[in-house]
mmCIF file with all atom_site columns, all heavy atoms in Angstrom:
data_model
loop_
_atom_site.group_PDB
_atom_site.id
_atom_site.type_symbol
_atom_site.label_atom_id
_atom_site.label_alt_id
_atom_site.label_comp_id
_atom_site.label_asym_id
_atom_site.label_entity_id
_atom_site.label_seq_id
_atom_site.pdbx_PDB_ins_code
_atom_site.Cartn_x
_atom_site.Cartn_y
_atom_site.Cartn_z
_atom_site.occupancy
_atom_site.B_iso_or_equiv
_atom_site.pdbx_formal_charge
_atom_site.auth_seq_id
_atom_site.auth_comp_id
_atom_site.auth_asym_id
_atom_site.auth_atom_id
_atom_site.pdbx_PDB_model_num
ATOM 1   N N   . LEU A 1 1  ? 67.908 -24.104 105.144 1.00 0.00 ? 1  LEU A N   1
ATOM 2   C CA  . LEU A 1 1  ? 66.932 -24.889 105.901 1.00 0.00 ? 1  LEU A CA  1
ATOM 3   C C   . LEU A 1 1  ? 67.396 -25.233 107.307 1.00 0.00 ? 1  LEU A C   1
ATOM 4   O O   . LEU A 1 1  ? 66.605 -25.655 108.127 1.00 0.00 ? 1  LEU A O   1
ATOM 5   C CB  . LEU A 1 1  ? 66.636 -26.218 105.171 1.00 0.00 ? 1  LEU A CB  1
ATOM 6   C CG  . LEU A 1 1  ? 65.712 -26.135 103.974 1.00 0.00 ? 1  LEU A CG  1
ATOM 7   C CD1 . LEU A 1 1  ? 65.635 -27.487 103.284 1.00 0.00 ? 1  LEU A CD1 1
ATOM 8   C CD2 . LEU A 1 1  ? 64.329 -25.686 104.401 1.00 0.00 ? 1  LEU A CD2 1
ATOM 9   N N   . ASP A 1 2  ? 68.681 -25.063 107.585 1.00 0.00 ? 2  ASP A N   1
ATOM 10  C CA  . ASP A 1 2  ? 69.262 -25.582 108.822 1.00 0.00 ? 2  ASP A CA  1
ATOM 11  C C   . ASP A 1 2  ? 69.892 -24.457 109.644 1.00 0.00 ? 2  ASP A C   1
ATOM 12  O O   . ASP A 1 2  ? 70.649 -23.653 109.109 1.00 0.00 ? 2  ASP A O   1
ATOM 13  C CB  . ASP A 1 2  ? 70.322 -26.626 108.447 1.00 0.00 ? 2  ASP A CB  1
ATOM 14  C CG  . ASP A 1 2  ? 70.839 -27.405 109.619 1.00 0.00 ? 2  ASP A CG  1
ATOM 15  O OD1 . ASP A 1 2  ? 71.436 -26.787 110.525 1.00 0.00 ? 2  ASP A OD1 1
ATOM 16  O OD2 . ASP A 1 2  ? 70.679 -28.633 109.620 1.00 0.00 ? 2  ASP A OD2 1
ATOM 17  N N   . LEU A 1 3  ? 69.598 -24.421 110.937 1.00 0.00 ? 3  LEU A N   1
ATOM 18  C CA  . LEU A 1 3  ? 70.154 -23.397 111.825 1.00 0.00 ? 3  LEU A CA  1
ATOM 19  C C   . LEU A 1 3  ? 71.678 -23.463 111.865 1.00 0.00 ? 3  LEU A C   1
ATOM 20  O O   . LEU A 1 3  ? 72.350 -22.438 111.868 1.00 0.00 ? 3  LEU A O   1
ATOM 21  C CB  . LEU A 1 3  ? 69.573 -23.551 113.236 1.00 0.00 ? 3  LEU A CB  1
ATOM 22  C CG  . LEU A 1 3  ? 70.073 -22.581 114.299 1.00 0.00 ? 3  LEU A CG  1
ATOM 23  C CD1 . LEU A 1 3  ? 69.747 -21.142 113.914 1.00 0.00 ? 3  LEU A CD1 1
ATOM 24  C CD2 . LEU A 1 3  ? 69.471 -22.914 115.649 1.00 0.00 ? 3  LEU A CD2 1
ATOM 25  N N   . ALA A 1 4  ? 72.232 -24.664 111.878 1.00 0.00 ? 4  ALA A N   1
ATOM 26  C CA  . ALA A 1 4  ? 73.690 -24.817 111.956 1.00 0.00 ? 4  ALA A CA  1
ATOM 27  C C   . ALA A 1 4  ? 74.367 -24.423 110.647 1.00 0.00 ? 4  ALA A C   1
ATOM 28  O O   . ALA A 1 4  ? 75.507 -23.961 110.648 1.00 0.00 ? 4  ALA A O   1
ATOM 29  C CB  . ALA A 1 4  ? 74.052 -26.248 112.329 1.00 0.00 ? 4  ALA A CB  1
ATOM 30  N N   . CYS A 1 5  ? 73.695 -24.618 109.539 1.00 0.00 ? 5  CYS A N   1
ATOM 31  C CA  . CYS A 1 5  ? 74.240 -24.293 108.217 1.00 0.00 ? 5  CYS A CA  1
ATOM 32  C C   . CYS A 1 5  ? 73.358 -23.213 107.603 1.00 0.00 ? 5  CYS A C   1
ATOM 33  O O   . CYS A 1 5  ? 72.530 -23.488 106.743 1.00 0.00 ? 5  CYS A O   1
ATOM 34  C CB  . CYS A 1 5  ? 74.264 -25.541 107.336 1.00 0.00 ? 5  CYS A CB  1
ATOM 35  S SG  . CYS A 1 5  ? 75.313 -26.852 107.944 1.00 0.00 ? 5  CYS A SG  1
ATOM 36  N N   . ASN A 1 6  ? 73.566 -21.972 108.060 1.00 0.00 ? 6  ASN A N   1
ATOM 37  C CA  . ASN A 1 6  ? 72.657 -20.897 107.657 1.00 0.00 ? 6  ASN A CA  1
ATOM 38  C C   . ASN A 1 6  ? 73.279 -19.903 106.671 1.00 0.00 ? 6  ASN A C   1
ATOM 39  O O   . ASN A 1 6  ? 72.856 -18.770 106.579 1.00 0.00 ? 6  ASN A O   1
ATOM 40  C CB  . ASN A 1 6  ? 72.075 -20.188 108.878 1.00 0.00 ? 6  ASN A CB  1
ATOM 41  C CG  . ASN A 1 6  ? 73.120 -19.538 109.744 1.00 0.00 ? 6  ASN A CG  1
ATOM 42  O OD1 . ASN A 1 6  ? 74.266 -19.360 109.346 1.00 0.00 ? 6  ASN A OD1 1
ATOM 43  N ND2 . ASN A 1 6  ? 72.730 -19.157 110.946 1.00 0.00 ? 6  ASN A ND2 1
ATOM 44  N N   . LEU A 1 7  ? 74.294 -20.352 105.970 1.00 0.00 ? 7  LEU A N   1
ATOM 45  C CA  . LEU A 1 7  ? 74.856 -19.709 104.772 1.00 0.00 ? 7  LEU A CA  1
ATOM 46  C C   . LEU A 1 7  ? 75.706 -18.468 104.976 1.00 0.00 ? 7  LEU A C   1
ATOM 47  O O   . LEU A 1 7  ? 76.726 -18.323 104.309 1.00 0.00 ? 7  LEU A O   1
ATOM 48  C CB  . LEU A 1 7  ? 73.749 -19.366 103.765 1.00 0.00 ? 7  LEU A CB  1
ATOM 49  C CG  . LEU A 1 7  ? 72.828 -20.503 103.339 1.00 0.00 ? 7  LEU A CG  1
ATOM 50  C CD1 . LEU A 1 7  ? 71.750 -19.966 102.387 1.00 0.00 ? 7  LEU A CD1 1
ATOM 51  C CD2 . LEU A 1 7  ? 73.600 -21.629 102.701 1.00 0.00 ? 7  LEU A CD2 1
ATOM 52  N N   . VAL A 1 8  ? 75.286 -17.529 105.833 1.00 0.00 ? 8  VAL A N   1
ATOM 53  C CA  . VAL A 1 8  ? 75.968 -16.236 105.904 1.00 0.00 ? 8  VAL A CA  1
ATOM 54  C C   . VAL A 1 8  ? 76.108 -15.750 107.346 1.00 0.00 ? 8  VAL A C   1
ATOM 55  O O   . VAL A 1 8  ? 75.352 -16.131 108.228 1.00 0.00 ? 8  VAL A O   1
ATOM 56  C CB  . VAL A 1 8  ? 75.221 -15.149 105.090 1.00 0.00 ? 8  VAL A CB  1
ATOM 57  C CG1 . VAL A 1 8  ? 75.349 -15.386 103.607 1.00 0.00 ? 8  VAL A CG1 1
ATOM 58  C CG2 . VAL A 1 8  ? 73.766 -15.055 105.502 1.00 0.00 ? 8  VAL A CG2 1
ATOM 59  N N   . HIS A 1 9  ? 77.092 -14.880 107.520 1.00 0.00 ? 9  HIS A N   1
ATOM 60  C CA  . HIS A 1 9  ? 77.270 -14.132 108.772 1.00 0.00 ? 9  HIS A CA  1
ATOM 61  C C   . HIS A 1 9  ? 77.330 -12.667 108.397 1.00 0.00 ? 9  HIS A C   1
ATOM 62  O O   . HIS A 1 9  ? 77.961 -12.295 107.405 1.00 0.00 ? 9  HIS A O   1
ATOM 63  C CB  . HIS A 1 9  ? 78.572 -14.530 109.471 1.00 0.00 ? 9  HIS A CB  1
ATOM 64  C CG  . HIS A 1 9  ? 78.992 -13.531 110.512 1.00 0.00 ? 9  HIS A CG  1
ATOM 65  N ND1 . HIS A 1 9  ? 78.521 -13.562 111.796 1.00 0.00 ? 9  HIS A ND1 1
ATOM 66  C CD2 . HIS A 1 9  ? 79.809 -12.447 110.432 1.00 0.00 ? 9  HIS A CD2 1
ATOM 67  C CE1 . HIS A 1 9  ? 79.037 -12.545 112.474 1.00 0.00 ? 9  HIS A CE1 1
ATOM 68  N NE2 . HIS A 1 9  ? 79.822 -11.852 111.675 1.00 0.00 ? 9  HIS A NE2 1
ATOM 69  N N   . GLY A 1 10 ? 76.707 -11.829 109.216 1.00 0.00 ? 10 GLY A N   1
ATOM 70  C CA  . GLY A 1 10 ? 76.827 -10.384 109.060 1.00 0.00 ? 10 GLY A CA  1
ATOM 71  C C   . GLY A 1 10 ? 77.030 -9.758  110.428 1.00 0.00 ? 10 GLY A C   1
ATOM 72  O O   . GLY A 1 10 ? 76.426 -10.193 111.412 1.00 0.00 ? 10 GLY A O   1
ATOM 73  N N   . SER A 1 11 ? 77.871 -8.772  110.504 1.00 0.00 ? 11 SER A N   1
ATOM 74  C CA  . SER A 1 11 ? 78.127 -8.080  111.774 1.00 0.00 ? 11 SER A CA  1
ATOM 75  C C   . SER A 1 11 ? 76.811 -7.595  112.377 1.00 0.00 ? 11 SER A C   1
ATOM 76  O O   . SER A 1 11 ? 75.923 -7.149  111.653 1.00 0.00 ? 11 SER A O   1
ATOM 77  C CB  . SER A 1 11 ? 79.049 -6.884  111.549 1.00 0.00 ? 11 SER A CB  1
ATOM 78  O OG  . SER A 1 11 ? 80.251 -7.283  110.932 1.00 0.00 ? 11 SER A OG  1
ATOM 79  N N   . ASP A 1 12 ? 76.702 -7.665  113.711 1.00 0.00 ? 12 ASP A N   1
ATOM 80  C CA  . ASP A 1 12 ? 75.438 -7.290  114.356 1.00 0.00 ? 12 ASP A CA  1
ATOM 81  C C   . ASP A 1 12 ? 75.415 -5.871  114.899 1.00 0.00 ? 12 ASP A C   1
ATOM 82  O O   . ASP A 1 12 ? 74.411 -5.433  115.445 1.00 0.00 ? 12 ASP A O   1
ATOM 83  C CB  . ASP A 1 12 ? 75.048 -8.301  115.435 1.00 0.00 ? 12 ASP A CB  1
ATOM 84  C CG  . ASP A 1 12 ? 76.029 -8.372  116.586 1.00 0.00 ? 12 ASP A CG  1
ATOM 85  O OD1 . ASP A 1 12 ? 76.970 -7.550  116.655 1.00 0.00 ? 12 ASP A OD1 1
ATOM 86  O OD2 . ASP A 1 12 ? 75.854 -9.252  117.447 1.00 0.00 ? 12 ASP A OD2 1
ATOM 87  N N   . SER A 1 13 ? 76.523 -5.142  114.753 1.00 0.00 ? 13 SER A N   1
ATOM 88  C CA  . SER A 1 13 ? 76.559 -3.742  115.180 1.00 0.00 ? 13 SER A CA  1
ATOM 89  C C   . SER A 1 13 ? 77.734 -3.056  114.482 1.00 0.00 ? 13 SER A C   1
ATOM 90  O O   . SER A 1 13 ? 78.621 -3.731  113.935 1.00 0.00 ? 13 SER A O   1
ATOM 91  C CB  . SER A 1 13 ? 76.743 -3.630  116.704 1.00 0.00 ? 13 SER A CB  1
ATOM 92  O OG  . SER A 1 13 ? 78.047 -4.077  117.074 1.00 0.00 ? 13 SER A OG  1
ATOM 93  N N   . VAL A 1 14 ? 77.748 -1.747  114.507 1.00 0.00 ? 14 VAL A N   1
ATOM 94  C CA  . VAL A 1 14 ? 78.854 -0.990  113.919 1.00 0.00 ? 14 VAL A CA  1
ATOM 95  C C   . VAL A 1 14 ? 80.153 -1.322  114.647 1.00 0.00 ? 14 VAL A C   1
ATOM 96  O O   . VAL A 1 14 ? 81.207 -1.483  114.018 1.00 0.00 ? 14 VAL A O   1
ATOM 97  C CB  . VAL A 1 14 ? 78.549 0.527   113.959 1.00 0.00 ? 14 VAL A CB  1
ATOM 98  C CG1 . VAL A 1 14 ? 79.751 1.335   113.518 1.00 0.00 ? 14 VAL A CG1 1
ATOM 99  C CG2 . VAL A 1 14 ? 77.338 0.849   113.105 1.00 0.00 ? 14 VAL A CG2 1
ATOM 100 N N   . GLN A 1 15 ? 80.081 -1.473  115.973 1.00 0.00 ? 15 GLN A N   1
ATOM 101 C CA  . GLN A 1 15 ? 81.272 -1.809  116.759 1.00 0.00 ? 15 GLN A CA  1
ATOM 102 C C   . GLN A 1 15 ? 81.788 -3.203  116.418 1.00 0.00 ? 15 GLN A C   1
ATOM 103 O O   . GLN A 1 15 ? 82.993 -3.406  116.252 1.00 0.00 ? 15 GLN A O   1
ATOM 104 C CB  . GLN A 1 15 ? 80.975 -1.712  118.262 1.00 0.00 ? 15 GLN A CB  1
ATOM 105 C CG  . GLN A 1 15 ? 80.610 -0.333  118.753 1.00 0.00 ? 15 GLN A CG  1
ATOM 106 C CD  . GLN A 1 15 ? 79.175 0.072   118.414 1.00 0.00 ? 15 GLN A CD  1
ATOM 107 O OE1 . GLN A 1 15 ? 78.301 -0.741  118.119 1.00 0.00 ? 15 GLN A OE1 1
ATOM 108 N NE2 . GLN A 1 15 ? 78.922 1.378   118.445 1.00 0.00 ? 15 GLN A NE2 1
ATOM 109 N N   . ALA A 1 16 ? 80.881 -4.169  116.313 1.00 0.00 ? 16 ALA A N   1
ATOM 110 C CA  . ALA A 1 16 ? 81.276 -5.528  115.939 1.00 0.00 ? 16 ALA A CA  1
ATOM 111 C C   . ALA A 1 16 ? 81.865 -5.533  114.535 1.00 0.00 ? 16 ALA A C   1
ATOM 112 O O   . ALA A 1 16 ? 82.852 -6.231  114.265 1.00 0.00 ? 16 ALA A O   1
ATOM 113 C CB  . ALA A 1 16 ? 80.090 -6.480  116.038 1.00 0.00 ? 16 ALA A CB  1
ATOM 114 N N   . ALA A 1 17 ? 81.288 -4.766  113.637 1.00 0.00 ? 17 ALA A N   1
ATOM 115 C CA  . ALA A 1 17 ? 81.785 -4.696  112.264 1.00 0.00 ? 17 ALA A CA  1
ATOM 116 C C   . ALA A 1 17 ? 83.235 -4.214  112.239 1.00 0.00 ? 17 ALA A C   1
ATOM 117 O O   . ALA A 1 17 ? 84.077 -4.796  111.542 1.00 0.00 ? 17 ALA A O   1
ATOM 118 C CB  . ALA A 1 17 ? 80.905 -3.783  111.417 1.00 0.00 ? 17 ALA A CB  1
ATOM 119 N N   . ALA A 1 18 ? 83.545 -3.180  112.997 1.00 0.00 ? 18 ALA A N   1
ATOM 120 C CA  . ALA A 1 18 ? 84.912 -2.656  113.035 1.00 0.00 ? 18 ALA A CA  1
ATOM 121 C C   . ALA A 1 18 ? 85.892 -3.728  113.525 1.00 0.00 ? 18 ALA A C   1
ATOM 122 O O   . ALA A 1 18 ? 86.961 -3.920  112.937 1.00 0.00 ? 18 ALA A O   1
ATOM 123 C CB  . ALA A 1 18 ? 84.984 -1.416  113.922 1.00 0.00 ? 18 ALA A CB  1
ATOM 124 N N   . ARG A 1 19 ? 85.510 -4.431  114.588 1.00 0.00 ? 19 ARG A N   1
ATOM 125 C CA  . ARG A 1 19 ? 86.367 -5.498  115.139 1.00 0.00 ? 19 ARG A CA  1
ATOM 126 C C   . ARG A 1 19 ? 86.533 -6.634  114.135 1.00 0.00 ? 19 ARG A C   1
ATOM 127 O O   . ARG A 1 19 ? 87.634 -7.114  113.891 1.00 0.00 ? 19 ARG A O   1
ATOM 128 C CB  . ARG A 1 19 ? 85.771 -6.030  116.442 1.00 0.00 ? 19 ARG A CB  1
ATOM 129 C CG  . ARG A 1 19 ? 86.600 -7.125  117.097 1.00 0.00 ? 19 ARG A CG  1
ATOM 130 C CD  . ARG A 1 19 ? 85.934 -7.721  118.322 1.00 0.00 ? 19 ARG A CD  1
ATOM 131 N NE  . ARG A 1 19 ? 84.829 -8.596  118.017 1.00 0.00 ? 19 ARG A NE  1
ATOM 132 C CZ  . ARG A 1 19 ? 84.955 -9.884  117.651 1.00 0.00 ? 19 ARG A CZ  1
ATOM 133 N NH1 . ARG A 1 19 ? 86.151 -10.423 117.532 1.00 0.00 ? 19 ARG A NH1 1
ATOM 134 N NH2 . ARG A 1 19 ? 83.887 -10.610 117.397 1.00 0.00 ? 19 ARG A NH2 1
ATOM 135 N N   . GLU A 1 20 ? 85.441 -7.050  113.521 1.00 0.00 ? 20 GLU A N   1
ATOM 136 C CA  . GLU A 1 20 ? 85.479 -8.179  112.598 1.00 0.00 ? 20 GLU A CA  1
ATOM 137 C C   . GLU A 1 20 ? 86.222 -7.838  111.306 1.00 0.00 ? 20 GLU A C   1
ATOM 138 O O   . GLU A 1 20 ? 86.993 -8.663  110.798 1.00 0.00 ? 20 GLU A O   1
ATOM 139 C CB  . GLU A 1 20 ? 84.055 -8.635  112.275 1.00 0.00 ? 20 GLU A CB  1
ATOM 140 C CG  . GLU A 1 20 ? 83.360 -9.252  113.467 1.00 0.00 ? 20 GLU A CG  1
ATOM 141 C CD  . GLU A 1 20 ? 81.897 -9.555  113.238 1.00 0.00 ? 20 GLU A CD  1
ATOM 142 O OE1 . GLU A 1 20 ? 81.331 -9.136  112.195 1.00 0.00 ? 20 GLU A OE1 1
ATOM 143 O OE2 . GLU A 1 20 ? 81.312 -10.212 114.108 1.00 0.00 ? 20 GLU A OE2 1
ATOM 144 N N   . ILE A 1 21 ? 86.026 -6.652  110.793 1.00 0.00 ? 21 ILE A N   1
ATOM 145 C CA  . ILE A 1 21 ? 86.745 -6.246  109.582 1.00 0.00 ? 21 ILE A CA  1
ATOM 146 C C   . ILE A 1 21 ? 88.242 -6.269  109.841 1.00 0.00 ? 21 ILE A C   1
ATOM 147 O O   . ILE A 1 21 ? 89.025 -6.772  109.031 1.00 0.00 ? 21 ILE A O   1
ATOM 148 C CB  . ILE A 1 21 ? 86.269 -4.861  109.095 1.00 0.00 ? 21 ILE A CB  1
ATOM 149 C CG1 . ILE A 1 21 ? 84.836 -4.969  108.545 1.00 0.00 ? 21 ILE A CG1 1
ATOM 150 C CG2 . ILE A 1 21 ? 87.227 -4.286  108.040 1.00 0.00 ? 21 ILE A CG2 1
ATOM 151 C CD1 . ILE A 1 21 ? 84.154 -3.635  108.306 1.00 0.00 ? 21 ILE A CD1 1
ATOM 152 N N   . GLU A 1 22 ? 88.656 -5.759  110.978 1.00 0.00 ? 22 GLU A N   1
ATOM 153 C CA  . GLU A 1 22 ? 90.074 -5.751  111.336 1.00 0.00 ? 22 GLU A CA  1
ATOM 154 C C   . GLU A 1 22 ? 90.629 -7.163  111.474 1.00 0.00 ? 22 GLU A C   1
ATOM 155 O O   . GLU A 1 22 ? 91.798 -7.415  111.180 1.00 0.00 ? 22 GLU A O   1
ATOM 156 C CB  . GLU A 1 22 ? 90.266 -4.979  112.642 1.00 0.00 ? 22 GLU A CB  1
ATOM 157 C CG  . GLU A 1 22 ? 91.710 -4.729  112.992 1.00 0.00 ? 22 GLU A CG  1
ATOM 158 C CD  . GLU A 1 22 ? 91.839 -3.839  114.211 1.00 0.00 ? 22 GLU A CD  1
ATOM 159 O OE1 . GLU A 1 22 ? 91.449 -2.665  114.122 1.00 0.00 ? 22 GLU A OE1 1
ATOM 160 O OE2 . GLU A 1 22 ? 92.303 -4.339  115.257 1.00 0.00 ? 22 GLU A OE2 1
ATOM 161 N N   . LEU A 1 23 ? 89.793 -8.105  111.902 1.00 0.00 ? 23 LEU A N   1
ATOM 162 C CA  . LEU A 1 23 ? 90.211 -9.495  112.064 1.00 0.00 ? 23 LEU A CA  1
ATOM 163 C C   . LEU A 1 23 ? 90.442 -10.171 110.708 1.00 0.00 ? 23 LEU A C   1
ATOM 164 O O   . LEU A 1 23 ? 91.332 -11.000 110.563 1.00 0.00 ? 23 LEU A O   1
ATOM 165 C CB  . LEU A 1 23 ? 89.134 -10.247 112.857 1.00 0.00 ? 23 LEU A CB  1
ATOM 166 C CG  . LEU A 1 23 ? 89.425 -11.666 113.308 1.00 0.00 ? 23 LEU A CG  1
ATOM 167 C CD1 . LEU A 1 23 ? 90.632 -11.729 114.234 1.00 0.00 ? 23 LEU A CD1 1
ATOM 168 C CD2 . LEU A 1 23 ? 88.197 -12.245 114.004 1.00 0.00 ? 23 LEU A CD2 1
ATOM 169 N N   . PHE A 1 24 ? 89.664 -9.794  109.693 1.00 0.00 ? 24 PHE A N   1
ATOM 170 C CA  . PHE A 1 24 ? 89.707 -10.466 108.401 1.00 0.00 ? 24 PHE A CA  1
ATOM 171 C C   . PHE A 1 24 ? 90.459 -9.711  107.306 1.00 0.00 ? 24 PHE A C   1
ATOM 172 O O   . PHE A 1 24 ? 90.854 -10.318 106.316 1.00 0.00 ? 24 PHE A O   1
ATOM 173 C CB  . PHE A 1 24 ? 88.282 -10.754 107.916 1.00 0.00 ? 24 PHE A CB  1
ATOM 174 C CG  . PHE A 1 24 ? 87.624 -11.885 108.641 1.00 0.00 ? 24 PHE A CG  1
ATOM 175 C CD1 . PHE A 1 24 ? 86.892 -11.648 109.793 1.00 0.00 ? 24 PHE A CD1 1
ATOM 176 C CD2 . PHE A 1 24 ? 87.749 -13.187 108.194 1.00 0.00 ? 24 PHE A CD2 1
ATOM 177 C CE1 . PHE A 1 24 ? 86.290 -12.689 110.480 1.00 0.00 ? 24 PHE A CE1 1
ATOM 178 C CE2 . PHE A 1 24 ? 87.150 -14.239 108.870 1.00 0.00 ? 24 PHE A CE2 1
ATOM 179 C CZ  . PHE A 1 24 ? 86.418 -13.990 110.017 1.00 0.00 ? 24 PHE A CZ  1
#
């Protein structure tokens, strides 16, 4: 129900996904 508490994050591009996966 809340913009600040919106439950999930998903990468917004293939490039972002590669960077984020490497971070985690």
Side-chain angles (χ1 to χ4, degrees):
L1 283 174
D2 190 298
L3 179 61
C5 297
N6 61 15
L7 306 177
V8 289
H9 163 85
S11 304
D12 63 7
S13 68
V14 173
Q15 297 77 19
R19 181 185 74 81
E20 292 173 351
I21 290 168
E22 189 174 294
L23 188 61
F24 285 90

